[in-house]
């Protein structure tokens, strides 16, 4: 948890403001409720025993880290997550009830079992599946690990495999509900023993940890996508048959991941949670917000109603209990979908369990599963011929075969509506100045013709609409890049850029859009601050970050201050 020292307080604040129901008092620094809460003191003898076992496991992990075997390095995160979980719990006061000590013992035992098995793996046996990777293993509940591209830390996730294994299975990514006491130790222990929610026959259920309690936002969002990437490599999952689901805080995560990545999933199933900021806090904890203009602008990053148009491309089944306050999340999204322009409005399916509070009703779940199975069966292997895509930031700039490369005004919704008919594509564009269409060789409904693209700008709806003619690329795929020049759109070479202009682009939008969504480096200031205490804090935080990074990358603490960091270390970072 200390590997991203600034990120976690932000996530805790986000999560606490969303679901704790503390009200306005929780916005005061003098009364804010700590998240996670303070842990309990362990029995000294128990703590000493756990520390001894942890040291033994850490020694095995360190030895494995020094191995030159690619096989060992591939599966080392599956071992290291166990030592990291207990280490963080001991270091960060992460024991909240007496049975957490028992969980720690179970986690350490599994870590040692895996370390021993991986240590014995030789080049001759490296092709033999390890026990926890076998699809015919003794348990359907498996905990896996991957190394994060954000900070090099190992992160856990759980997976429940189907009873029978074939190829091209469906997988549901299940975002978990709020658990303030669910740190890595508790998460791993739970996922080792609890299959809930049990997947349908023939379905994998993937459980991201998501950097604790942040509704899979920021680093939790990146982790979720990396979990899916890892699972697709390790298990026979069809990438076109992945659904995004969740309940409570996990429902909030599902809303977010659905509207921002509408082409990643074949279906979405958010339950309860929250889908926006001001109305939810007013309903859930009677808090009336008075945001500045720039706060309201920035809310558009995560407030899903702004992005409701994207659900036209993604079959969605919302769920709520009739008497659950968090029913408000789906109600808001139902309204947002219906309040789109008349030519685009649609009814969002909302299953409501009668007289039900904050839980998934078993009868409603049967209905949801039936509808998801139908959507899966009816899904097309071809991309949609009609798209309606909205974004407020180039961080989320792509849906299916449309990419927005530049916006007229950031943090104002930009839309691209597209209709493909035979060899014609008609576009209507708002607040975008640079777009790309990209279709694979087999994604056009007709063959051997010239593609005709026409672009209508919403600011000049009655003006002439010139045609742009596109021929197949050398690999038989189709593509065109269109740049707005004055009041008209011109076709440009795909590699063309505006000379000598530094502008925002995907992956380089700005410090707000990019925060904690990719690896970053602490750079030590070269001048003094406005106050000695600021300089002292910066120095201590920088040195702590350097030490933690070095521990994550090298397995020990070699450096004590930033002055001891070698140039090659920075290059490696």
């Amino acid at each position: 948890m200390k590997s991203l020292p600034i990120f976690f307080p932000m996530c805790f604040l986000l999560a606490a403001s969303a679901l704790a129901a503390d009200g306005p008092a929780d916005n005061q620094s003098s009364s804010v409720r700590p998240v996670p809460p303070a842990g309990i003191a362990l029995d000294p003898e128990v703590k000493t025993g756990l520390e001894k076992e942890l040291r033994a496991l850490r020694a095995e992990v360190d030895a494995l880290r020094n191995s030159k075997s690619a096989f060992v390095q591939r599966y080392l995160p599956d071992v290291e997550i166990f030592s990291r979980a207990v280490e963080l719990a001991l270091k960060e006061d992460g024991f909240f009830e007496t049975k957490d000590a028992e969980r720690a013992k179970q986690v350490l035992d599994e870590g040692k079992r895996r370390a021993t098995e991986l240590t014995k793996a030789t080049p001759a046996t490296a092709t033999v599946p390890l026990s926890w990777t076998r699809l015919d293993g003794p348990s359907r509940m498996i905990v896996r690990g991957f190394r994060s591209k954000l900070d090099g830390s190992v992160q856990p996730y759980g997976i429940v495999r189907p009873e029978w294994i074939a190829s091209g299975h469906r997988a549901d990514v299940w975002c978990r509900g709020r658990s303030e006491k669910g740190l890595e130790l508790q998460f791993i222990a739970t996922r080792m023993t609890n299959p809930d929610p049990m997947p349908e026959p023939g379905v994998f259920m993937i459980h991201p940890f998501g950097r604790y309690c942040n509704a899979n936002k920021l680093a939790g969002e990146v982790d979720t996508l990396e979990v899916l990437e890892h699972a697709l490599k390790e298990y026979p999952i069809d990438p076109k048959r992945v659904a995004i689901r969740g309940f409570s805080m996990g429902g909030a995560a599902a809303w977010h991941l659905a509207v921002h990545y509408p082409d990643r999933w074949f279906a979405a199933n958010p339950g309860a949670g929250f889908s926006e900021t001001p109305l939810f806090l007013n309903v859930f904890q009677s808090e009336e917000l008075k945001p500045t203009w720039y706060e309201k602008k920035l809310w558009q990053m995560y407030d899903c109603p702004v992005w409701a148009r994207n659900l036209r491309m993604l079959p969605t089944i919302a769920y709520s209990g009739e008497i659950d306050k968090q029913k408000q999340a789906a109600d808001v999204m139902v309204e947002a979908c219906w309040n789109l322009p008349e030519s685009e409005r649609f009814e969002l399916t909302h299953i409501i369990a009668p007289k039900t509070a904050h839980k998934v009703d078993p009868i409603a779940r049967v209905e949801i599963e039936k509808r998801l199975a139908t959507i899966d069966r009816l899904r097309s292997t071809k991309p949609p011929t009609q798209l309606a895509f909205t974004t407020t930031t180039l961080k989320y700039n792509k849906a299916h075969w449309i990419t927005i490369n530049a916006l007229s005004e950031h943090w104002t919704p930009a839309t691209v509506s597209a209709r493909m008919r035979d060899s014609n594509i008609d576009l209507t564009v708002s607040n975008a100045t640079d777009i790309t269409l990209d279709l694979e060789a087999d994604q056009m409904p007709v063959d051997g013709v010239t593609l005709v693209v026409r672009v209508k700008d919403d600011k000049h709806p009655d003006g002439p609409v010139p045609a742009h003619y596109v021929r197949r690329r050398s690999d038989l795929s189709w593509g065109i890049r269109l740049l707005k020049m004055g009041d008209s759109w011109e076709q440009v070479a795909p590699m063309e850029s505006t000379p000598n202009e530094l502008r925002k682009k995907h992956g380089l939008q700005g410090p707000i859009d990019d925060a904690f969504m990719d690896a970053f480096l602490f750079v030590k200031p070269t001048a003094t601050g406005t106050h000695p205490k600021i300089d002292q804090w910066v120095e201590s935080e920088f040195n702590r970050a350097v030490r933690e990074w070095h521990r994550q990358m090298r397995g020990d603490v070699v450096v004590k201050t930033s002055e001891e960091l070698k140039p090659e270390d920075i290059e490696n970072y």
Side-chain angles (χ1 to χ4, degrees), residues 522-529 534-535 537-543 562-563:
F522 283 88
V523 179
K524 189 176 181 180
T526 57
T528 57
I534 293 178
D535 294 329
W537 179 83
V538 169
E539 178 74 22
S540 62
E541 284 296 300
F542 183 83
N543 288 331
S562 56
E563 282 72 18

Side-chain angles (χ1 to χ4, degrees), residues 240-281:
K240 297 185 182 300
R241 299 182 65 198
V242 179
I244 186 67
R245 307 180 65 181
F247 181 73
S248 193
M249 186 183 75
W255 281 119
H256 165 71
L257 292 165
V259 300
H260 289 79
Y261 299 100
D263 57 357
R264 293 284 184 106
W265 330 103
F266 83 87
N269 171 220
F274 53 94
S275 59
E276 47 69 57
T277 306
L279 296 176
F280 173 78
L281 289 178

Side-chain angles (χ1 to χ4, degrees), residues 542-554:
F542 183 83
N543 288 331
R544 184 165 69 85
V546 167
R547 291 195 300 272
E548 177 61 21
W549 168 79
H550 209 285
R551 189 186 68 80
Q552 295 284 358
M553 296 296 102
R554 302 295 177 83

Side-chain angles (χ1 to χ4, degrees), residues 65 230 340 358 475:
R65 188 182 287 114
H230 188 273
L340 290 169
H358 193 62
D475 64 351

Side-chain angles (χ1 to χ4, degrees), residues 302 332 348 460 478 501:
Y302 289 143
V332 167
L348 181 70
H460 305 88
W478 303 82
E501 181 185 18

Side-chain angles (χ1 to χ4, degrees), residues 204-252:
F204 282 91
M205 188 70 82
I206 302 171
H207 296 266
F209 175 63
R211 302 284 172 135
Y212 182 57
C213 215
N214 60 50
N216 300 71
K217 304 272 199 306
L218 301 171
E221 174 183 332
V222 178
D223 281 358
T224 302
L225 298 178
E226 287 200 272
V227 162
L228 178 57
E229 180 182 1
H230 188 273
L232 288 173
K233 291 178 180 177
E234 294 288 315
Y235 298 97
I237 297 170
D238 185 342
K240 297 185 182 300
R241 299 182 65 198
V242 179
I244 186 67
R245 307 180 65 181
F247 181 73
S248 193
M249 186 183 75

Side-chain angles (χ1 to χ4, degrees), residues 328-455:
Q328 178 268 350
D331 289 342
V332 167
M333 293 303 293
V334 168
E335 183 178 359
C337 293
W338 191 253
N339 286 341
L340 290 169
E342 188 171 355
S343 62
E344 298 183 334
R345 71 170 47 162
F346 64 98
E347 181 179 352
L348 181 70
T349 298
H350 186 191
I351 293 177
I352 303 172
K355 300 179 181 179
T356 301
H358 193 62
K359 67 177 184 179
V360 179
D361 176 75
I363 297 177
R365 178 174 177 179
V366 170
E367 180 63 25
I368 291 168
E369 298 295 351
K370 182 180 75 172
R371 296 192 185 202
L372 285 173
T374 300
I375 294 169
D376 182 29
R377 187 176 68 253
L378 296 177
R379 65 185 173 78
S380 173
T381 57
K382 299 285 187 180
T385 57
Q386 295 187 54
L387 298 179
F389 179 50
T390 289
T391 185
T392 64
T393 166
L394 294 178
K395 181 66 185 178
Y396 308 103
N397 72 324
K398 183 181 183 300
H400 295 287
W401 41 273
I402 288 179
T403 301
I404 298 177
N405 305 309
L407 302 175
S408 299
E409 181 181 350
H410 287 252
W411 297 100
T412 295
T415 63
V416 177
S417 298
R419 179 187 294 269
M420 183 192 303
R421 289 176 294 186
D422 297 326
S423 59
N424 293 272
I425 296 179
D426 295 317
L427 303 174
T428 301
V429 181
S430 174
N431 194 35
T433 58
D434 187 344
I435 59 177
T436 298
L437 309 185
D438 194 2
L439 295 122
E440 297 298 326
D442 61 348
Q443 291 183 332
M444 277 296 294
V446 293
D447 295 322
V449 300
T450 299
L451 181 64
V452 181
V453 179
R454 294 180 176 87
V455 186

